[in-house]
Amino acid sequence: MSKVHELNHPLIQHKLSLIRDKNTGSKEFRELVKEVSMLLAFEVTRDLPLEEVEIETPVCMAKTKILAGRKLGIVPILRAGLGMVDGFLNLLPAAKVGHIGLYRDPETLIPVEYYCKLPSDVNERDLIVVDPMLATGGSANAAIQFIKDKGAQSIKLVCLIGCPEGLAAVQKMHPDVDVYIAAIDEKLNDHAYIVPGLGDAGDRLYGTK
Ligand code: URA
């Protein structure tokens, strides 16, 4: 069973309240999503391996640690996932970025991949799939499956807000994928929006409706 890491850090919770507020405009919304993403990136990379190096400080020689060069990939689910990429890249500038776009076939309701461009060495990278909202879990599950089908071996999912239904769906289909999330809300409503949630993340990021 995968682990769910709910990051109830005060800074994250404060910024999430501002993000949820319907009076927060797109510019501030984008900035806040970026900031919270950076804080989530800090937590999701907690288990990165380190190696010892010898350096010379102005005072003396010292043995210190640097990242042991794990290759990382960030994979936003289009379109709302794009809002989280810059926050991750701020902390992980060497990460490669793949993109995956899905739509739901209106008749079969099955998610269909319409765009997928991943780093060519996807099987060697630790991939971090990002999408602000984990609602039914349908998109996240499909995106993770597409990425696995292309050879990915190590995947984490990072979201801002989820609900019990979405988490259960991902844990059931992908028990190997840990989920990092800033808040777990109460439920989904009849339109598959998270309650209380923040509305439509893509619309709020990009000012569409
Ligand atoms: N996607 C969103 O953008 N918001 C929700 O509440 C659910 C899915």
Side-chain angles (χ1 to χ4, degrees), residues 114-132:
Y114 68 84
Y115 186 80
C116 185
K117 182 86 184 172
L118 300 174
S120 55
D121 54 357
V122 77
N123 54 330
E124 294 168 21
R125 289 186 179 267
D126 292 337
L127 296 182
I128 304 170
V129 174
V130 295
D131 196 4

Side-chain angles (χ1 to χ4, degrees), residues 72-93:
L72 298 177
I74 302 156
V75 184
I77 302 178
L78 301 178
R79 94 188 132 136
L82 289 175
M84 298 176 69
V85 172
D86 282 351
F88 272 79
L89 285 178
N90 271 3
L91 285 193
L92 307 167

